[in-house]
Amino acid sequence: MKKLAVAVQVYSIREDAERDFRGTMEQVKQMGYDGVELAGLYGRSPEEIRDCLKEVGLIPFSAHVPYLELATSLEETVAKYVTVGCEYIVVPYLTEEYRPGQDKFKEVVTNLRRIGEFCSSKNIVLLYHNHDFEFIKMEDGRYALDYLYDSVSADNLQTEIDTCWVKVSGVNPADYIRKYAERCPVIHLKDYVGQKSDHMYELIGIEGEKQQPVQTFEFRPVGHGVQNFHEILDAALDSGAKWVVVEQDAHYDRAAIDNIRLSREYLAQLGW
């Protein structure tokens, strides 16, 4: 059976990486991960990140880079990740004023076309990582996420489908992966329990003030929640994906490093 490479999104273990990047990466390698998707450089230079990961034996195949950083400092920003050795750069999130339904969303579409063209010129593939807010309907009935992919050619923008947020939106993740077959090189594996609730973005640490935990929705290690990963992984294979990425935004009764270990162990049990 063909297998995809398995990575971890470093945002999942951000505090560990900030405190001891090399030691954390060594643990990640020992767990059986093939690579990492970066979310920042953790106070280190691109050269330091590149050399550390090469020595540890992890592939820095991708990086999440804030939309505004790309939109306002494109050449300088892309140069950092070329130095690291990334194959992909990913727009990970849109703040509220740039989301579908807001006036600035049209600006996002235009900028992603420009960013994608520049990335292509540097042999980098631009991806877009979804949440649930892209699944609002446009006037013509299309999901805003589909509108985005229809508006920017596959040459300049490909998908990073986050299976958690797809399911939270009420869409079957495996079906949605198949919809973008041959345009989905990287897929996020993320599990959860509960259902969509208010203040969910406070759970991922990027919006709003810290509040009491929302009990109706919690992230879980891969294989420990509601997702059907047999179906998702079959769809990923069938659709031409190259990497699957474990991501867990928040942790509760267990250390972050232990949660990503549980995720990797679950995937190993499935033969990955």
Side-chain angles (χ1 to χ4, degrees), residues 7-11 21 34-42 49 53 58-65 81-82 84-92 124-129 159-160 185-188 243-245:
V8 66
Q9 167 50 256
V10 181
Y11 187 78
F21 186 80
D34 303 300
V36 291
E37 183 173 59
L38 297 167
L41 298 178
Y42 301 95
I49 295 289
L53 292 172
L58 289 169
I59 301 170
F61 76 100
S62 180
H64 277 195
V65 182
Y81 294 98
V82 169
V84 170
C86 294
E87 183 179 355
Y88 304 100
I89 284 177
V90 189
V91 174
I124 295 278
V125 178
L126 182 66
L127 310 180
Y128 182 85
H129 169 270
T159 75
E160 182 174 74
V186 183
I187 293 168
H188 269 205
W243 286 86
V244 289
V245 182

Side-chain angles (χ1 to χ4, degrees), residues 1-269:
M1 172 183 169
K2 180 184 175 184
K3 295 182 182 179
L4 305 179
V6 181
V8 66
Q9 167 50 256
V10 181
Y11 187 78
S12 306
I13 45 173
R14 52 196 176 276
E15 293 178 359
D16 301 89
E18 190 72 43
R19 182 174 57 251
D20 179 8
F21 186 80
R22 185 185 185 92
T24 301
M25 295 302 103
E26 288 173 345
Q27 290 185 71
V28 167
K29 178 63 177 178
Q30 290 166 5
M31 292 175 199
Y33 285 98
D34 303 300
V36 291
E37 183 173 59
L38 297 167
L41 298 178
Y42 301 95
R44 292 159 176 81
S45 70
E47 291 82 3
E48 288 173 321
I49 295 289
R50 176 197 64 202
D51 294 347
C52 175
L53 292 172
K54 183 176 181 180
E55 290 164 8
V56 170
L58 289 169
I59 301 170
F61 76 100
S62 180
H64 277 195
V65 182
Y67 163 69
L68 286 179
E69 189 175 338
L70 289 165
T72 60
S73 302
L74 182 55
E75 293 187 23
E76 178 185 356
T77 300
V78 170
K80 293 178 186 177
Y81 294 98
V82 169
T83 298
V84 170
C86 294
E87 183 179 355
Y88 304 100
I89 284 177
V90 189
V91 174
Y93 183 76
L94 297 176
T95 53
E96 191 168 355
E97 67 270 30
Y98 292 101
R99 293 177 188 170
Q102 305 300 318
D103 290 342
K104 287 190 174 182
F105 183 60
K106 292 180 180 179
E107 177 185 316
V108 170
V109 174
T110 300
N111 275 333
L112 290 184
R113 191 177 295 115
R114 174 177 64 89
I115 294 165
E117 288 174 354
F118 182 79
C119 286
S120 294
S121 75
K122 302 298 180 181
N123 296 316
I124 295 278
V125 178
L126 182 66
L127 310 180
Y128 182 85
H129 169 270
N130 64 276
H131 288 77
D132 67 312
F133 51 74
E134 296 92 348
F135 284 89
I136 68 167
K137 293 286 185 74
M138 305 292 284
E139 290 182 1
D140 61 5
R142 281 181 293 176
Y143 289 125
L145 190 57
D146 295 328
Y147 169 84
L148 173 63
Y149 291 130
D150 288 344
S151 300
V152 185
S153 72
D155 290 341
N156 295 323
L157 184 66
Q158 297 198 13
T159 75
E160 182 174 74
I161 294 171
D162 186 300
T163 57
C164 165
W165 296 117
V166 172
K167 188 171 178 66
V168 165
S169 303
V171 177
N172 181 282
D175 292 345
Y176 204 73
I177 290 167
R178 292 181 191 280
K179 180 174 184 176
Y180 286 99
E182 307 306 326
R183 197 178 176 176
C184 58
V186 183
I187 293 168
H188 269 205
L189 306 181
K190 187 189 298 182
D191 217 343
Y192 69 96
V193 294
Q195 54 191 306
K196 188 169 182 176
S197 60
D198 294 335
H199 309 298
M200 288 203 314
Y201 292 114
E202 285 141 25
L203 290 173
I204 63 178
I206 55 176
E207 209 173 278
E209 296 179 1
K210 192 171 183 179
Q211 299 189 7
Q212 292 296 318
V214 179
Q215 297 300 320
T216 56
F217 180 95
E218 288 188 351
F219 297 106
R220 289 287 185 269
V222 171
H224 294 254
V226 301
Q227 294 273 45
N228 184 338
F229 284 108
H230 292 276
E231 195 176 76
I232 287 169
L233 290 165
D234 283 347
L237 276 172
D238 292 345
S239 300
K242 296 180 180 179
W243 286 86
V244 289
V245 182
V246 167
E247 184 179 43
Q248 186 173 342
D249 302 87
H251 310 272
Y252 309 97
D253 300 325
R254 193 181 291 114
I257 200 76
D258 293 331
N259 276 329
I260 67 162
R261 182 178 288 107
L262 284 174
S263 291
R264 189 66 191 91
E265 288 172 353
Y266 171 78
L267 291 172
Q269 290 170 10

